[in-house]
Amino acid sequence: AVTVRWIASPILSGTARPEGYEVACLNAVAGVSYVLQASGTFDISSAWQSVATNAPGVDGPIQFIDHDASNYSSRFYRVVMP
């Protein structure tokens, strides 16, 4: 038997914090690895850097912190699921 599990596209929200920029993935699925990536331009072909990886234990929101965000004049984020 094959089990197919549908996973919705991540919904992101961000907040500036003293320790870095916090990015929340609002609809994470338990057991799925999420990788937060950042880039200085909003171009899909640009060099995206992996900032953090998180795999939630339960469904719901998860947070990532980009501690290097203050080193950039602008920063764009995306979440990928490897």
Side-chain angles (χ1 to χ4, degrees):
V2 174
T3 301
V4 177
R5 187 171 180 190
W6 180 78
I7 299 174
S9 297
I11 298 171
L12 302 179
S13 173
T15 306
R17 303 270 186 217
E19 66 276 11
Y21 195 79
E22 176 185 346
V23 179
C25 178
L26 301 178
N27 60 336
V29 175
V32 175
S33 290
Y34 294 86
V35 179
L36 177 69
Q37 294 184 331
S39 176
T41 63
F42 193 64
D43 181 353
I44 199 160
S45 64
S46 68
W48 289 85
Q49 297 176 320
S50 294
V51 174
T53 301
N54 202 338
V58 296
D59 292 352
I62 56 173
Q63 285 80 31
F64 301 93
I65 300 289
D66 180 1
H67 296 283
D68 294 331
S70 62
N71 296 330
Y72 300 90
S73 59
S74 64
R75 197 88 152 140
F76 299 91
Y77 297 95
R78 70 181 183 185
V79 170
V80 296
M81 296 171 285

